[in-house]
Amino acid sequence: MKQYQRSLILVLSALLLLSSLLIVLLFIRLNTTNPQATPIIRSTTIPPTLTSSGSITTTQSLPVAAPIESIITTIATVAPKPDNAKLQPNAPKPATTQAPTSFGATLLKSLLGLGVLAIGGYLLWVRLTGSPQFEPQRRLMPKPLLKQNPAEIALPPESNPTPPRSRPVAEPSASSNLKPAVDPSLRNANYQFHVFCESIIGKSHSQHGLLCQDYSQHQMLGEGWGVAVIADGLGSRKLSHLGSEFVVKAACTQLLELVKKHSWYETKQLPNLQQWQSYVIYIFQDIYAKLQKKAQAEKQSVHEYASTLISVIYSPIGILVAHIGDGRAGYSDRHGQWHSMITPHKGEEANEVMPFTADQVWKNPSELIECRVINDHINGFVLISDGCEKHTFQCSQFDQATQHWHDPNRPHQQFFDRLQQLFREKKQKGQSLQDLQPTFKDILERGTTGFANEPDDKTMILGLWI
């Protein structure tokens, strides 16, 4: 029950009690006192006498003012009448009075009125507090976040540009019946690792004449090795599109040099977490220093170039990931199951984002730059900006037990399984890997109702064995 409801109930209860006491006192007052009395005339009647001449004689009644104290005890009397006597028709009638109401009856009426008021007050309290005895408690039900099952990618025929129809909402299961995973011993023989990369301007940005503030880039080394980086410029900063492009290009170049410098590609080895974090902090600090110089040269604040940053070094034996800010990233393990590999980092407010240029990041980089080393046979990975997250990830669900929203941060298994199967089917029909890029772009633009209506910029880098 909310605080204002408690206060209202206390006030109403006090008023109810006060009014009940006043009503009781009023009942007692009205039933134990008489209104202003007029003098009550008590007649003294003299019985008629029979004279010797046979006539009846009477004496007139003498009006006497009766005292108030005698009202209660006055009892009507009638003079005895002789058997053979006749009274005059105009003889005054004796005065009579009604017995007053007893105190017990008055108290009973008062208690009855108080009981009625108490029952009415209780029913009012039940209505305000929503007591389960009278009204079942209402629970907030979650609103569907997706207008269409993300696993059901309904691409229109190539000759028909009409967008697909929306379909009933159905929550994707944790796993699907598709078997997209590739056995590590057969991957190189039957499949190739291909990376798709695309950025699509959001509907709201396009309508307002704004530029796409996302940027992405990847470099492949061969045999499933490479570097992929994406950034999402903050819409509140006028130069964020330049900032996202700058940090992506710089990070992709320096991470690629890092792989070659330490011969990870040749030795098929990855660093441990402590080593990887030290490399990332050094590289990111260098990029930030160069961005500051760029801002000074253009006479701008470095904060006007604010953007997020997600970067990975991917390989068949594992993934190295580092990020600042929000967005999502996931990977597919050796069994084809998709998992998240970062936790979106937002600020204290609901819509606040911790960007690459935030002062807090560089005051405490070891805490605010998330780094992970995933040592597993990889069948795929994905990096996305927040314009794609609610269409490809489970990122906001309602928990009936706790009655709160939470973020599972899980990739939609069926969505990525369906993509992988779709690309394999097209490849088996003779399409080259390069020919699949338009299909990937079409999916981001209008592959689902959610993608087609997304107002924010959409960026995705997707690597799959196909």
Side-chain angles (χ1 to χ4, degrees), residues 165-357:
R165 295 180 179 179
S166 59
R167 299 181 179 178
V169 175
E171 183 179 356
S173 59
S175 61
S176 70
N177 296 325
L178 301 175
K179 301 296 181 182
V182 182
D183 185 87
S185 62
L186 301 177
R187 279 189 299 202
N188 295 336
N190 300 324
Y191 298 95
Q192 288 180 277
F193 194 81
H194 187 71
V195 178
F196 301 92
C197 180
E198 193 66 55
S199 292
I200 306 295
I201 188 170
K203 290 185 65 176
S204 64
H205 289 187
S206 179
Q207 292 171 356
H208 293 85
L210 301 176
L211 299 173
C212 180
Q213 295 167 333
D214 291 357
Y215 199 84
S216 59
Q217 187 175 357
H218 80 278
Q219 292 288 337
M220 297 187 67
L221 292 172
E223 297 183 5
W225 283 76
V227 174
V229 186
I230 70 169
D232 182 359
L234 272 63
S236 59
R237 300 298 181 177
K238 63 181 180 180
L239 300 177
S240 61
H241 61 288
L242 298 178
S244 61
E245 180 180 358
F246 182 89
V247 297
V248 164
K249 290 182 176 180
C252 191
T253 300
Q254 294 201 37
L255 290 175
L256 194 62
E257 292 176 354
L258 182 68
V259 175
K260 296 177 180 179
K261 177 180 179 181
H262 294 279
S263 303
W264 295 335
Y265 172 64
E266 291 80 7
T267 60
K268 310 301 180 186
Q269 293 181 349
L270 295 177
N272 58 37
L273 179 58
Q274 184 177 4
Q275 293 171 332
W276 170 237
Q277 187 178 38
S278 64
Y279 295 145
V280 168
I281 292 177
Y282 176 81
I283 291 174
F284 282 10
Q285 283 179 333
D286 183 67
I287 296 174
Y288 179 65
K290 292 178 179 178
L291 184 60
Q292 284 182 312
K293 292 181 179 180
K294 174 181 175 62
Q296 291 174 358
E298 297 177 357
K299 297 181 180 180
Q300 298 287 341
S301 169
V302 70
H303 299 293
E304 296 298 330
Y305 299 85
S307 73
T308 64
L309 180 64
I310 306 176
S311 60
V312 299
I313 297 174
Y314 59 89
S315 74
I317 61 173
I319 288 183
L320 306 174
V321 59
H323 99 284
I324 299 174
D326 59 5
R328 307 274 171 168
Y331 73 97
S332 175
D333 62 20
R334 68 179 66 196
H335 304 293
Q337 298 301 308
W338 284 85
H339 311 274
S340 174
M341 58 181 175
I342 68 168
T343 301
H345 190 183
K346 298 181 180 292
E348 296 179 357
E349 301 296 331
N351 296 325
E352 186 181 358
V353 178
M354 186 72 68
F356 182 84
T357 55

Side-chain angles (χ1 to χ4, degrees), residues 131-147:
S131 176
Q133 286 86 348
F134 291 88
E135 182 180 0
Q137 184 178 4
R138 294 187 179 97
R139 292 184 175 181
L140 295 175
M141 299 303 294
K143 297 181 180 179
L145 296 177
L146 300 177
K147 296 183 179 180

